[in-house]
Amino acid sequence: MKPPQPTIGGMVQAADHLAPALEAATHCPYCALQCGMVLRRSEADVTVQPRNFPTNRGGLCQKGWTSAELLTSAERLTTPLARPRKDADLEPVSWAEALDRVAAEIRRIRAAHGPDAVAVFGGGGLTNEKAYTLGKFARVALGTANIDYNGRFCMSSAAAAGIRAFGVDRGLPFPLADIAEADAILLAGSNVAETMPPFMRYLTEAKRRGGALIVVDPRHTPTAQQATLHLRVTPGTDLALANGLLHLAITEGYLDKDYIARRTTGFEEVRRVVAEYWPERTERITGVPVAQQREAVRLLAEAERAMILTARGAEQQSKGTDTVSALINLALALGLPGTPGSGYGCLTGQGNGQGGREHGQKADQLPGYRRIDDPAARAHVARVWGVDPDSLPGPGVSAYELLDALGTPAGPKALLLFGSNLVVSAPHARHVEERVRSLEFLAVADVVLSETARLADVVLPAAQWAEEEGTMTNLEGRVLRRRRLHEPPPGVRTDLEIIAALAARLGHGARFSAEPRAVFEELRRASAGGPADYSGITYERIEAEDGVFWPCPAEDHPGTPRMFLDRFATPDGRARFVPVEHREVAEDLDAAHPLYLTTGRVLHHYQSGAQTRRVKPLLDAVPEPFVQLHPDVAERLGIAEDDLVRVVSRRGEATARARITDTIRDDTVFLPFHWGGAGRANSVTNPALDPTSRMPEFKVCAVRLEKLEQADAGVAP
Ligand SMILES: Nc1nc2c(c(=O)[nH]1)N[C@H]1C(S)=C(S)[C@@H](COP(=O)(O)OP(=O)(O)OC[C@H]3O[C@@H](n4cnc5c(=O)[nH]c(N)nc54)[C@H](O)[C@@H]3O)O[C@H]1N2
Ligand SMILES: Nc1nc2c(c(=O)[nH]1)N[C@H]1C(S)=C(S)[C@@H](COP(=O)(O)OP(=O)(O)OC[C@H]3O[C@@H](n4cnc5c(=O)[nH]c(N)nc54)[C@H](O)[C@@H]3O)O[C@H]1N2
Ligand code: SF4
Ligand SMILES: [Mo]
């Protein structure tokens, strides 16, 4: 279908000035593709039409099509709630009461235990303006080092490996359009057909032009079904596979020696390491037959333009950083990064997964992707904030470590949560839930009463995407405008208003604006000169140019759709090879836990499901948790389709409906993580962390299946 082009005229401009509009050209609230859409308002409801934006080219997935339902849902929060006592229920209260209570608890806990006793947890769905303000609020108004966010669970391994190799982390260092022109694409651990459906058009276009698609996944996913070559790896072995492919690239004479000499350092050490990954050994570790390894290397190396892309399957591992490094080594050896039409990229996940990791809601970070332990960065940002650099706290701990410390004698006693449903989405969630329950005080800003919000002492109802202005940075590093269709319903406030109101109560009112445009102007200055430099980006330019790619250091700078063409962002301008060795998964199989569990997503639900389980067509499509298992496993255990099955690990269990399919390996089962309650996949997962990125091993742990008697029936809510 060819959608109508929206009028970027009076109506849309009006949204800018906070007057209600009848129509707004904006972007989907969910994933990092940030599909363009037009919202139209009528008396009764809001309708969604796709828009022909460069990312989605007129496409939307079911989540995007139905995204407006939550705006008018009876389940959204429209009044603050508070618990009079720890053992009492949540009750409606006024905004003044709710905010006073939060501020009073912050002051009390800070006085008793010091500033680090108040922690903040953010989200990669928050706009740049909000992520920036949250980081500043933590460092300036609270003075706490303890802030991190759910992006740690998302792309932190790829970010760490990207910085290690290229000196900077931008998910895709080239526009999506380049993917359609590639002659070979290797996709490691990504199921884009379900996680970013309109992205598939880039892959199918590449294939139509004769390009090859290689998919690395333990499951024959809808994405793998489109592949020229599907490498059905054993979970947790992509690192060995990448080293094995590089071994073959060397022995078969495919190295781009000129590129390696001109543009990289460190190849010789990597060559020594991968010498040990001969094809038969690689096959033993990964399960990928030698012939398929050869074919993959040939397709990549003989292509004129080739790309290696990673997502969570390869990254959410206790060796995720090294795994991505191994794949980047392969890309460098073939001369791909920084070569027009070729490259390495990570497919960022959340709506603002990219911008959310640049502006300071990360434990070790200041705006502009600066490091909080860098004196020059501290001085610059402190100047913009009008504070003494010495008053800024140092680095805090990563997301899981922060959650693990909540309520412990040395850990935070209060948590302020914006934009994550962490008791569903954090690994080893039973333990995390226990920690959250042990807090003296929890405040949650959300649009619905999520599983985590239910545990809060104070719940603050936040505005939704169609009710606010701001910017988002998509998976390409393209900064986009989120535009307001209409005001939030009565009783609901924007996150910026909430943070500014809290800052005012803590004596820092003058430093915090609730106006997105004013915040963005400050963010521009704070990011100036940093790796993620937004100083040349304005709201007007974004509208006029279909988004602007960072780095963009001046208003007359065109922005940077393609990075690394001349040099990498390392001190010597060269990309760095990093030698990495395969390691076993943190928890291997044993007699009591003979199957690998891997977890991930399905098309119709988003993340913890807090939003999409409240959208009827999506819930109807996939109403309850399920577990995919191979027919041989089912037969061995006497499990039939639709039986209720318990998935049990050393940490906990989840109950789900059996879906028997030969699209999965016979040593592996798959659970989506979109549910809380009895079907919570994260009751089972392993919080083993990557030593560099602190990414948990969501993608592999050891489990057994137990068939439940139907009498026990009842899956999750
Ligand atoms: N429908 C939907 N779309 C989404 C989201 C959502 O929740 N729902 N979330 C968004 C977000 S935040 C993110 S991060 C992205 C994630 O997007 P993806 O990374 O595409 O999604 P996942 O399903 O987590 O994992 C992808 C694949 O990794 C495979 N896998 C598991 N273990 C391994 C392994 O060891 N090696 C390899 N190579 N593959 C493995 C799984 O079988 C799965 O098919 O999606 C975004 N889009
Ligand atoms: N087992 C397993 N676990 C995983 C993963 C996996 O693959 N397997 N993937 C991980 C990944 S990649 C991610 S990104 C995380 C995501 O997991 P979560 O962090 O839980 O992400 P969401 O479910 O999107 O939670 C966002 C919450 O914020 C609310 N919200 C939405 N918009 C706004 C807003 O503008 N303001 C405020 N205040 N609230 C808002 C939503 O209603 C929702 O409750 O899960 C991780 N957990
Ligand atoms: S692919 Fe992502 S951005 Fe596009 S409509 Fe679906 S959820 Fe929204
Ligand atoms: Mo994510």
Side-chain angles (χ1 to χ4, degrees):
M1 180 202 143
K2 259 255 168 293
Q5 267 297 101
T7 43
I8 312 274
M11 297 286 192
V12 174
Q13 292 297 327
D16 229 323
H17 303 291
L18 308 185
L22 294 176
E23 157 174 327
T26 187
H27 298 269
C28 176
Y30 298 119
C31 86
L33 200 55
Q34 284 296 289
C35 295
M37 53 169 61
V38 183
L39 301 179
R40 290 197 181 78
R41 192 160 61 98
S42 68
E43 284 286 295
D45 57 7
V46 175
T47 58
V48 175
Q49 283 292 313
R51 146 170 100 95
N52 200 9
F53 196 73
T55 54
N56 59 313
R57 298 183 175 171
L60 284 183
C61 78
Q62 285 89 329
K63 295 187 299 301
W65 276 109
T66 55
S67 55
E69 281 206 8
L70 206 57
L71 294 170
T72 49
S73 163
E75 289 209 49
R76 77 174 289 185
L77 293 165
T78 52
T79 176
L81 304 171
R83 222 177 278 286
R85 299 176 315 278
K86 271 282 170 198
D87 57 354
D89 289 339
L90 286 166
E91 291 172 3
V93 293
S94 70
W95 271 100
E97 274 175 88
L99 293 166
D100 286 348
R101 171 89 177 276
V102 178
E105 290 288 327
I106 291 172
R107 276 196 299 267
R108 179 183 71 76
I109 288 168
R110 208 163 48 176
H113 306 283
D116 287 342
V118 180
V120 178
F121 200 93
L126 302 177
T127 60
N128 289 316
E129 289 78 357
K130 296 194 231 180
Y132 169 82
T133 302
L134 201 59
K136 177 181 171 188
F137 176 76
R139 275 62 174 247
V140 173
L142 300 176
T144 181
N146 281 321
I147 174 168
D148 212 53
Y149 79 123
N150 67 6
R152 185 73 68 171
F153 298 154
C154 187
M155 31 33 66
S156 58
S157 291
I163 290 170
R164 210 147 77 168
F166 309 128
V168 68
D169 151 45
R170 198 181 88 187
L172 293 179
F174 43 76
L176 282 166
D178 285 7
I179 296 173
E181 308 282 316
D183 302 302
I185 301 161
L186 182 138
L187 206 53
S190 166
N191 181 15
V192 272
E194 294 195 75
T195 54
M196 296 185 183
F199 181 98
M200 283 306 282
R201 60 192 56 198
Y202 296 98
L203 301 181
T204 44
E205 198 175 315
K207 272 178 60 190
R208 206 180 50 240
R209 292 183 39 268
L213 173 63
I214 308 161
V215 172
V216 187
D217 198 304
R219 301 185 302 142
H220 195 57
T221 58
T223 313
Q225 285 160 29
Q226 301 295 318
T228 322
L229 180 63
H230 174 206
L231 310 181
R232 202 181 279 209
V233 274
T234 306
T237 65
D238 298 76
L239 196 168
L241 179 67
N243 278 359
L245 297 183
L246 181 48
H247 177 105
L248 275 172
I250 295 170
T251 56
E252 314 227 324
Y254 284 129
L255 290 186
D256 188 337
K257 290 186 180 142
D258 173 55
Y259 173 98
I260 293 172
R262 263 186 317 111
R263 301 217 53 188
T264 71
T265 56
F267 178 63
E268 282 312 314
E269 211 179 323
V270 168
R271 181 204 288 273
R272 264 196 303 282
V273 168
V274 302
E276 303 296 318
Y277 291 77
W278 56 91
E280 294 73 18
R281 177 178 176 227
T282 302
E283 173 173 335
R284 264 201 314 282
I285 301 174
T286 65
V288 176
V290 172
Q292 291 186 2
Q293 296 174 39
R294 282 189 203 285
E295 179 64 0
V297 170
R298 188 188 66 77
L299 288 170
L300 276 177
E302 291 183 354
E304 171 93 20
R305 287 158 297 198
M307 286 184 178
I308 296 180
L309 305 176
T310 63
R312 302 310 82 78
E315 300 165 9
Q316 287 173 327
Q317 309 274 354
S318 59
K319 54 178 178 298
T321 307
D322 284 355
T323 300
V324 176
S325 283
L327 287 155
I328 292 176
N329 289 341
L330 175 63
L332 289 171
L334 298 175
L336 310 183
T339 300
S342 295
Y344 162 78
C346 144
L347 301 177
T348 290
Q350 297 182 86
N352 196 28
Q354 182 67 50
R357 75 204 203 216
E358 299 164 358
H359 300 298
Q361 59 177 334
K362 237 170 132 182
D364 52 359
Q365 189 193 60
L366 289 173
Y369 225 132
R370 289 185 158 91
R371 293 184 58 97
I372 202 166
D373 57 5
D374 168 5
R378 295 169 66 87
H380 171 83
V381 174
R383 203 174 319 118
V384 175
W385 289 350
V387 299
D388 177 352
D390 292 336
S391 72
L392 298 177
V397 295
S398 76
Y400 183 76
E401 292 161 296
L402 180 63
L403 301 178
D404 187 36
L406 296 178
T408 60
K413 307 291 184 288
L415 177 68
L416 312 181
L417 175 62
F418 288 80
S420 174
N421 185 12
L422 51 83
V423 302
V424 174
S425 54
H428 196 3
R430 274 187 348 158
H431 172 69
V432 167
E433 183 171 339
E434 242 169 59
R435 295 286 97 239
V436 168
R437 286 179 187 274
S438 77
L439 284 167
E440 288 182 28
F441 182 72
L442 172 66
V444 176
D446 205 308
V447 302
V448 294
L449 197 60
S450 71
E451 284 79 357
T452 315
R454 277 179 202 284
L455 305 179
D457 300 287
V458 175
V459 179
L460 303 166
Q464 293 190 46
W465 95 112
E467 300 155 358
E468 63 179 13
E469 296 285 317
T471 60
M472 307 280 279
T473 305
N474 80 346
L475 75 172
E476 311 164 278
R478 188 197 295 260
V479 185
L480 307 167
R481 283 279 279 110
R482 171 178 278 194
R483 297 192 188 83
R484 169 154 144 157
L485 176 70
H486 56 211
E487 298 200 12
V492 171
R493 298 197 183 171
T494 68
D495 294 294
L496 285 181
E497 288 168 344
I498 294 170
I499 300 168
L502 288 175
R505 280 165 170 78
L506 296 170
H508 292 274
R511 297 187 203 281
F512 289 84
S513 171
E515 268 305 312
R517 191 183 274 270
V519 173
F520 190 76
E521 291 304 312
E522 190 184 303
L523 180 160
R524 289 175 62 193
R525 284 185 283 123
S527 76
D533 190 329
Y534 281 44
S535 58
I537 304 177
T538 64
Y539 277 20
E540 287 70 22
R541 277 192 69 182
I542 296 173
E543 304 214 351
E545 299 170 32
D546 274 350
V548 180
F549 291 81
W550 72 256
C552 180
E555 284 192 34
D556 59 1
H557 183 285
T560 314
R562 291 179 187 81
M563 300 176 87
F564 314 141
L565 295 180
D566 302 318
R567 65 190 313 278
F568 294 95
T570 51
D572 63 3
R574 288 160 176 261
R576 293 179 284 232
F577 278 96
V578 179
V580 286
E581 290 277 9
H582 171 70
R583 304 192 291 277
E584 295 299 321
V585 295
E587 181 181 73
D588 218 334
L589 307 183
D590 64 15
H593 307 90
L595 293 164
Y596 292 114
L597 168 70
T598 192
T599 62
R601 297 158 165 83
V602 299
L603 173 60
H604 294 89
H605 286 291
Y606 190 67
Q607 315 275 60
S608 72
Q611 292 161 280
T612 49
R613 282 184 275 120
R614 291 175 166 88
V615 175
K616 190 164 182 307
L618 300 178
L619 189 65
D620 287 349
V622 185
E624 56 179 11
F626 62 87
V627 54
Q628 282 183 340
L629 64 153
H630 191 272
D632 293 350
V633 176
E635 198 188 308
R636 209 162 54 236
L637 299 173
I639 293 169
E641 183 76 5
D642 284 337
D643 277 354
L644 280 179
V645 171
R646 207 185 267 143
V647 183
V648 186
S649 76
R650 292 177 177 85
R651 290 156 299 281
E653 58 185 55
T655 303
R657 208 59 81 182
R659 283 215 196 151
I660 301 171
T661 167
D662 62 7
T663 59
I664 191 160
R665 293 170 53 99
D666 62 6
D667 59 358
T668 304
V669 298
F670 171 81
L671 268 179
F673 77 103
H674 306 299
W675 285 268
R680 181 170 67 184
N682 278 318
S683 299
V684 184
T685 52
N686 186 356
L689 299 182
D690 179 287
T692 308
S693 65
R694 320 306 285 166
M695 164 74 85
E697 189 142 86
F698 285 117
K699 284 296 188 270
V700 50
C701 70
V703 299
R704 67 169 170 273
L705 298 188
E706 294 172 358
K707 184 178 159 173
L708 267 185
E709 292 316 319
Q710 292 299 326
D712 294 332
V715 193

